[in-house]
Amino acid sequence: MSKKILIIGGVAGGASAAARARRLDESAQIIVFERGPHISFANCGLPYHIGGEIELREKLLLQTPESFNSRFNVDIRVQNEILAIDKQAKTVTVRDIVADKEYTESYDALILSPGAGPFVPPISGVRNHLTHTLRNVPDMDAIITSIEVNKPQHATVCGGGFIGLEMAEALRHRDIAVTLVELAPQVMAPVDIEIANVLHEELKQHNVDLKLGKALQAVAETTVSDSSLTLTLNDGSTLETNLLIMAVGVKPETALAVQAGLELGDFGGIKVNDAMQTSDESIFAVGDAIETAEFVTGEAMLAPLAGPANRQGRLAANVIFGSDETYKKTQGTAICKVFDLAVASTGMNEKTLLRKKMPYEKVYVHAMSHASYYPGAHPVSLKLLFNPENGKILGAQAVGKDGVDKRIDVLSVAQRAGLTVYDLQDLELCYAPPFGSARDVVNQAGLLASNVMKGDEVVFHSADIKQLADNQLLIDVRTEHEVDNMGMIPGAINIPVDDLRANLCNIDKQKEILVYCQVGLRGHVASTLLKNSGYKVKNLTGGFKTWKAFNY
């Protein structure tokens, strides 16, 4: 007897589940319900159409109900909203929005893929015709219409996550002045402050007025014009704006799960097992609405990302048709374009490791995206976090103009494969001058971390330089020209690395020597020389460049 599968929600999770289910069983009855007008659209591309990089709106509509049905023989019902689930009777109540009528459908297996909706805090006056969120194509259309009708001179974006940053860039591409308001001390929460500070500088260079550590407290429509708002921030300051984008975060869509009596997790998402089953074995859930296991710790996390949603949708279909495979946890690998920069991360960040009190060590590498002598090379700054006991990769972050995705992708694969930092130094990666270096950024990170693991080099960090102790000596081993042009860390003395041997007699062996250069390489040379000469020495990982970013 053929199965009847109902799928609530399309886009990444629901659409991939439907397509996979059909490939597994030609006779199955598959119905997909979507309360919106589009079954499969590129929601990650919405800001880029607003900004003009994606010119044609149609490019965002990946499948229509007709094209999906022609290819997969799936009954697609757009503008049909699920009102209730009866898990005992195995039925759903549906409202056809266009016909304004209700009906029921039975199921053998049900897949929930409702996604996550924009979170809008309960701020006074925030519900008005100039305030928008961005989740789907109608939201995008509304923002574009507002821009075309009201012709805003200024826009405010609340939230410095993926959508907030992408919308700030999109609005600047339209020559609209932009203020970005973020409650946290940094944008892009998945990365740490020294990486985020590079983004802060990039935003300012593109004339984004950045207000960190600030929150929107109230919104008021001005009496002078119906195309202007007065925003009040939590520090009492106000600003006038013509367009307000709320992008402070998303929350899982769990109303149906709650109505059905399904179990939720600690973070408010739908709780599932590693087969994507909810607390009812006939009901599966995938995508942004669920909690999945974080890769390193196995603890629950929310991960509103398209890649995991696609994998989960496919897995749910496989399990429904008898597979015993399981979901292999979520690393949270992600990337974001911020004007001319890309920022990416995988695994855990330092903030999380500190909060969970997990042991870790970190190293930084600043290197070129490809051979520096070939035109077009740009710096890549990479942070690698690893377990100091076994060298397992805990997480990585990178920022730069080019080659960021390549390095984080490699490290994501390495982490999933269970490789250690020792393995990174031996990875055989593509090399030709236009594409990379004989010793890639990832290899360099592995070499540096391996040196730390083996005790061949002792490192210290930018946060450690708050106040030098009497028994410490901080030496800047860069050239005098670099020091004159870039400045020095307070309290340091300058002895260029090439002059270090000649000045050993002037360095007190009773003191702990802290050395640094611009990015860490010459510091390594200096620390090796000093160590072999009988000194107790540490090298600043990432050098002056990381220290400056950390203290931006």
Side-chain angles (χ1 to χ4, degrees):
M1 183 176 176
S2 61
K3 291 182 181 290
K4 182 176 181 181
I5 303 169
L6 304 186
I7 301 172
I8 301 175
V11 197
S16 63
R20 179 60 175 170
R22 173 56 71 221
R23 289 195 293 270
L24 291 172
D25 189 335
E26 186 59 33
S27 66
Q29 184 181 0
I30 306 168
I31 307 174
V32 179
F33 301 94
E34 172 57 55
R35 67 185 174 191
H38 304 289
I39 187 61
S40 182
F41 61 93
N43 51 358
C44 295
L46 301 178
Y48 300 106
H49 179 59
I50 294 172
E53 292 95 335
I54 299 173
E55 293 185 14
L56 298 177
R57 179 179 181 274
E58 293 73 25
K59 293 287 187 182
L60 300 173
L61 306 178
L62 305 179
Q63 291 275 5
T64 65
E66 295 74 22
S67 67
F68 203 97
N69 182 263
S70 295
R71 178 164 296 182
F72 298 110
N73 188 26
V74 170
D75 184 357
I76 304 293
R77 301 182 187 178
V78 295
Q79 295 187 294
N80 275 244
E81 182 180 11
I82 305 299
L83 301 179
I85 300 169
D86 186 334
K87 61 185 181 182
Q88 280 73 37
K90 287 192 172 183
T91 62
V92 299
T93 303
V94 192
R95 176 173 175 262
D96 184 327
I97 296 171
V98 175
D100 193 22
K101 67 177 184 179
E102 294 183 11
Y103 62 97
T104 61
E105 286 284 355
S106 63
Y107 64 84
D108 296 309
L110 176 65
I111 301 177
L112 299 178
S113 180
F119 171 67
V120 179
I123 297 170
S124 171
V126 75
R127 305 290 181 180
N128 60 76
H129 70 292
L130 297 177
T131 298
H132 300 270
T133 58
L134 181 61
R135 182 192 184 191
N136 51 36
V137 174
D139 291 343
M140 176 191 74
D141 292 339
I143 292 171
I144 292 174
T145 298
S146 183
I147 292 171
E148 292 174 346
V149 171
N150 297 316
K151 296 178 171 52
Q153 299 297 305
H154 181 275
T156 300
V157 177
C158 279
F162 290 93
I163 295 297
L165 290 172
E166 289 164 356
M167 278 304 303
E169 179 177 352
L171 294 166
R172 288 299 298 129
H173 284 324
R174 282 179 167 262
D175 293 324
I176 299 171
V178 174
T179 295
L180 193 154
V181 179
E182 169 56 57
L183 177 60
Q186 66 168 79
V187 300
M188 192 52 62
V191 302
D192 294 312
I193 187 65
E194 65 274 33
I195 302 296
N197 277 338
V198 180
L199 303 179
H200 300 157
E201 177 64 22
E202 181 76 2
L203 290 164
K204 291 181 179 179
Q205 287 183 0
H206 286 83
N207 298 314
V208 173
D209 179 20
L210 193 57
K211 295 186 181 296
L212 298 173
K214 303 290 190 295
L216 182 61
Q217 195 169 58
V219 181
E221 297 186 54
T222 62
T223 56
V224 178
S225 169
D226 65 355
S227 61
S228 182
L229 300 171
T230 299
L231 309 183
T232 302
L233 304 185
N234 59 348
D235 62 354
S237 64
T238 61
L239 63 100
E240 300 293 316
T241 197
N242 311 114
L243 177 66
L244 175 59
I245 305 295
M246 296 299 296
V248 297
V250 296
K251 59 179 180 179
E253 291 274 8
T254 59
L256 277 174
V258 170
Q259 176 275 318
L262 301 178
E263 188 175 352
L264 300 186
D266 294 338
F267 296 98
I270 302 171
K271 189 172 184 178
V272 296
N273 62 18
D274 57 10
M276 297 294 109
Q277 290 171 303
T278 67
S279 52
D280 184 300
E281 64 178 11
S282 297
I283 302 178
F284 296 72
V286 301
D288 297 356
I290 71 170
E291 293 183 12
T292 60
E294 190 277 324
F295 186 80
V296 175
T297 65
E299 297 174 1
M301 69 178 297
L302 296 170
L305 298 168
N310 271 288
R311 300 200 306 276
Q312 293 156 9
R314 176 186 172 90
L315 173 62
N318 289 348
V319 172
I320 287 170
F321 286 98
S323 172
D324 61 355
E325 64 186 277
T326 57
Y327 184 68
K328 302 302 189 295
K329 304 179 183 178
T330 298
Q331 293 166 275
T333 308
I335 190 168
C336 183
K337 178 181 179 293
V338 183
F339 293 99
D340 296 328
L341 293 180
V343 59
S345 63
T346 191
M348 306 183 82
N349 57 34
E350 188 173 359
K351 298 188 293 286
T352 303
L353 292 167
L354 285 169
R355 187 175 69 250
K356 292 180 178 294
K357 298 180 180 179
M358 293 175 61
Y360 72 94
E361 184 54 276
K362 59 182 177 178
V363 293
Y364 299 87
V365 173
H366 302 284
M368 303 306 286
S369 56
H370 59 248
S372 58
Y373 55 81
Y374 187 89
H378 296 287
V380 173
S381 295
L382 186 143
K383 177 179 184 178
L384 178 65
L385 296 149
F386 57 96
N387 187 318
E389 297 169 1
N390 56 26
K392 285 291 185 72
I393 298 165
L394 299 175
Q397 305 160 31
V399 63
K401 288 187 176 182
D402 182 46
V404 168
D405 54 343
K406 170 183 174 179
R407 275 71 191 201
I408 293 300
D409 281 345
V410 169
L411 288 168
S412 174
V413 172
Q415 183 186 50
R416 183 163 287 275
L419 302 186
T420 69
V421 296
Y422 296 114
D423 298 308
L424 297 181
Q425 60 189 332
D426 295 321
L427 293 183
E428 194 168 321
L429 305 174
C430 286
Y431 166 59
F435 304 105
S437 300
R439 182 180 289 170
D440 190 78
V441 181
V442 173
N443 297 133
Q444 292 185 48
L447 285 163
L448 180 50
S450 297
N451 283 341
V452 173
M453 287 288 297
K454 293 182 289 187
D456 292 345
E457 178 165 271
V458 181
V459 296
F460 70 105
H461 303 289
S462 299
D464 299 332
I465 316 175
K466 295 178 180 177
Q467 186 173 355
L468 293 173
D470 292 338
N471 66 335
Q472 292 178 316
L473 178 63
L474 183 61
I475 302 179
D476 186 326
V477 298
R478 296 175 298 161
T479 66
E480 292 181 7
H481 177 75
E482 288 175 284
V483 169
D484 290 341
N485 283 274
M486 301 179 190
M488 253 193 334
I489 298 175
I493 63 170
N494 178 221
I495 307 177
V497 65
D498 294 334
D499 299 336
L500 199 56
R501 278 186 179 85
N503 283 278
L504 289 177
C505 59
N506 299 319
I507 300 174
D508 189 350
K509 274 194 174 180
Q510 300 305 310
K511 292 193 173 185
E512 179 183 59
I513 311 302
L514 308 177
V515 299
Y516 72 90
C517 64
Q518 183 62 19
V519 299
L521 182 57
R522 286 170 292 173
H524 171 65
V525 174
S527 66
T528 302
L529 167 60
L530 289 164
K531 178 183 175 182
N532 292 339
S533 301
Y535 291 86
K536 182 181 179 182
V537 59
K538 294 180 180 178
N539 181 26
L540 176 61
T541 179
F544 184 77
K545 185 171 184 176
T546 295
W547 178 85
K548 194 170 183 180
F550 184 82
N551 292 283
Y552 174 73

